[in-house]
Amino acid sequence: GEDLATTSDIVTDGLTAFGLSAQDSGRMADVMAAASSNANTNVSMLGESYKYCASTAGAMGYSLEDVTESLGLMANAGVKSQAGNTLKNAMINLAKPTDAMAATMKQYHISITNSDGSMKSWNDILTSLRENLGGLTEAEQTAAVATLFGKEATAGMLSLINAAPADIEKLNGAILNSNGTAKEMAD
């Protein structure tokens, strides 16, 4: 639904930020098409969000698919204009936490690395957040999320942690099986 110049700009900027190459442009188009048809977002909103979070996500080795899924889930909860900034801040806070953030991460067994020191995927980190914070009372969960991610990112991160399993599964499945989606939509 976007014009070619805008879409091309979103794709080329996103490819660069995620550390992908021109041969991945079809993959990116398919992922964005799947997200825009299975979540309350569109290509323009995804492009705006990528502008804020893709370079951080790419530098940390997080996948286009995982990041796009998070952006779609936040959009479903009405967190749209701040979604990219929310992810950027969350990723940075987890990578370089303050003392209070580190204490909260330790308390709730949250880590961005595996036991062998390798980086977890973004979706693995979200799964850990859901498992370790999901059973808290609303007040406890909000306090923990605000400490971990700051006030500005709290709403978006709460929407990711508390996303309905059916919504997560639907969007994840659509994105992971998105090969050819852009062409199907265009046709």
Side-chain angles (χ1 to χ4, degrees), residues 3-14:
D3 66 70
L4 182 60
T6 301
T7 305
S8 295
D9 196 40
I10 291 169
V11 170
T12 56
D13 290 351

PDB file of all heavy atoms in Angstrom, residues 3-14:
ATOM      1  N   ASP A   3       4.039   3.744  -1.621  1.00  0.00           N
ATOM      2  CA  ASP A   3       4.652   3.970  -2.930  1.00  0.00           C
ATOM      3  C   ASP A   3       6.038   3.333  -2.963  1.00  0.00           C
ATOM      4  O   ASP A   3       6.632   3.036  -1.929  1.00  0.00           O
ATOM      5  CB  ASP A   3       4.710   5.470  -3.258  1.00  0.00           C
ATOM      6  CG  ASP A   3       5.630   6.238  -2.332  1.00  0.00           C
ATOM      7  OD1 ASP A   3       6.852   6.062  -2.428  1.00  0.00           O
ATOM      8  OD2 ASP A   3       5.110   7.024  -1.515  1.00  0.00           O
ATOM      9  N   LEU A   4       6.518   3.088  -4.154  1.00  0.00           N
ATOM     10  CA  LEU A   4       7.770   2.366  -4.354  1.00  0.00           C
ATOM     11  C   LEU A   4       8.960   3.061  -3.705  1.00  0.00           C
ATOM     12  O   LEU A   4       9.804   2.406  -3.077  1.00  0.00           O
ATOM     13  CB  LEU A   4       8.031   2.149  -5.849  1.00  0.00           C
ATOM     14  CG  LEU A   4       9.279   1.359  -6.206  1.00  0.00           C
ATOM     15  CD1 LEU A   4       9.229  -0.042  -5.597  1.00  0.00           C
ATOM     16  CD2 LEU A   4       9.453   1.273  -7.715  1.00  0.00           C
ATOM     17  N   ALA A   5       9.036   4.382  -3.825  1.00  0.00           N
ATOM     18  CA  ALA A   5      10.183   5.105  -3.260  1.00  0.00           C
ATOM     19  C   ALA A   5      10.227   4.948  -1.742  1.00  0.00           C
ATOM     20  O   ALA A   5      11.302   4.688  -1.167  1.00  0.00           O
ATOM     21  CB  ALA A   5      10.110   6.580  -3.641  1.00  0.00           C
ATOM     22  N   THR A   6       9.080   5.080  -1.082  1.00  0.00           N
ATOM     23  CA  THR A   6       9.029   4.945   0.378  1.00  0.00           C
ATOM     24  C   THR A   6       9.399   3.531   0.796  1.00  0.00           C
ATOM     25  O   THR A   6      10.210   3.320   1.700  1.00  0.00           O
ATOM     26  CB  THR A   6       7.620   5.300   0.901  1.00  0.00           C
ATOM     27  OG1 THR A   6       7.313   6.639   0.527  1.00  0.00           O
ATOM     28  CG2 THR A   6       7.534   5.150   2.407  1.00  0.00           C
ATOM     29  N   THR A   7       8.806   2.556   0.131  1.00  0.00           N
ATOM     30  CA  THR A   7       9.076   1.159   0.475  1.00  0.00           C
ATOM     31  C   THR A   7      10.537   0.804   0.225  1.00  0.00           C
ATOM     32  O   THR A   7      11.171   0.135   1.048  1.00  0.00           O
ATOM     33  CB  THR A   7       8.160   0.218  -0.332  1.00  0.00           C
ATOM     34  OG1 THR A   7       6.809   0.608  -0.104  1.00  0.00           O
ATOM     35  CG2 THR A   7       8.343  -1.215   0.075  1.00  0.00           C
ATOM     36  N   SER A   8      11.085   1.256  -0.888  1.00  0.00           N
ATOM     37  CA  SER A   8      12.499   0.990  -1.191  1.00  0.00           C
ATOM     38  C   SER A   8      13.399   1.576  -0.126  1.00  0.00           C
ATOM     39  O   SER A   8      14.379   0.942   0.293  1.00  0.00           O
ATOM     40  CB  SER A   8      12.871   1.564  -2.556  1.00  0.00           C
ATOM     41  OG  SER A   8      12.164   0.916  -3.565  1.00  0.00           O
ATOM     42  N   ASP A   9      13.078   2.788   0.319  1.00  0.00           N
ATOM     43  CA  ASP A   9      13.859   3.443   1.358  1.00  0.00           C
ATOM     44  C   ASP A   9      13.789   2.663   2.661  1.00  0.00           C
ATOM     45  O   ASP A   9      14.811   2.442   3.327  1.00  0.00           O
ATOM     46  CB  ASP A   9      13.360   4.876   1.554  1.00  0.00           C
ATOM     47  CG  ASP A   9      14.336   5.730   2.325  1.00  0.00           C
ATOM     48  OD1 ASP A   9      15.554   5.607   2.103  1.00  0.00           O
ATOM     49  OD2 ASP A   9      13.873   6.530   3.168  1.00  0.00           O
ATOM     50  N   ILE A  10      12.598   2.201   3.039  1.00  0.00           N
ATOM     51  CA  ILE A  10      12.430   1.412   4.266  1.00  0.00           C
ATOM     52  C   ILE A  10      13.246   0.128   4.173  1.00  0.00           C
ATOM     53  O   ILE A  10      13.963  -0.239   5.113  1.00  0.00           O
ATOM     54  CB  ILE A  10      10.938   1.106   4.514  1.00  0.00           C
ATOM     55  CG1 ILE A  10      10.190   2.394   4.885  1.00  0.00           C
ATOM     56  CG2 ILE A  10      10.765   0.045   5.602  1.00  0.00           C
ATOM     57  CD1 ILE A  10       8.672   2.252   4.880  1.00  0.00           C
ATOM     58  N   VAL A  11      13.150  -0.550   3.040  1.00  0.00           N
ATOM     59  CA  VAL A  11      13.853  -1.826   2.875  1.00  0.00           C
ATOM     60  C   VAL A  11      15.365  -1.623   2.887  1.00  0.00           C
ATOM     61  O   VAL A  11      16.075  -2.330   3.612  1.00  0.00           O
ATOM     62  CB  VAL A  11      13.396  -2.560   1.594  1.00  0.00           C
ATOM     63  CG1 VAL A  11      14.293  -3.757   1.294  1.00  0.00           C
ATOM     64  CG2 VAL A  11      11.951  -3.013   1.734  1.00  0.00           C
ATOM     65  N   THR A  12      15.875  -0.664   2.138  1.00  0.00           N
ATOM     66  CA  THR A  12      17.328  -0.493   2.091  1.00  0.00           C
ATOM     67  C   THR A  12      17.887  -0.041   3.431  1.00  0.00           C
ATOM     68  O   THR A  12      18.933  -0.532   3.862  1.00  0.00           O
ATOM     69  CB  THR A  12      17.757   0.491   0.976  1.00  0.00           C
ATOM     70  OG1 THR A  12      17.084   1.734   1.163  1.00  0.00           O
ATOM     71  CG2 THR A  12      17.439  -0.076  -0.406  1.00  0.00           C
ATOM     72  N   ASP A  13      17.185   0.861   4.110  1.00  0.00           N
ATOM     73  CA  ASP A  13      17.635   1.284   5.440  1.00  0.00           C
ATOM     74  C   ASP A  13      17.604   0.116   6.413  1.00  0.00           C
ATOM     75  O   ASP A  13      18.531  -0.085   7.204  1.00  0.00           O
ATOM     76  CB  ASP A  13      16.769   2.426   5.980  1.00  0.00           C
ATOM     77  CG  ASP A  13      16.980   3.740   5.250  1.00  0.00           C
ATOM     78  OD1 ASP A  13      17.909   3.839   4.427  1.00  0.00           O
ATOM     79  OD2 ASP A  13      16.186   4.675   5.499  1.00  0.00           O
ATOM     80  N   GLY A  14      16.525  -0.663   6.376  1.00  0.00           N
ATOM     81  CA  GLY A  14      16.394  -1.808   7.267  1.00  0.00           C
ATOM     82  C   GLY A  14      17.441  -2.865   7.018  1.00  0.00           C
ATOM     83  O   GLY A  14      18.014  -3.432   7.959  1.00  0.00           O
TER      84      GLY A  14
END
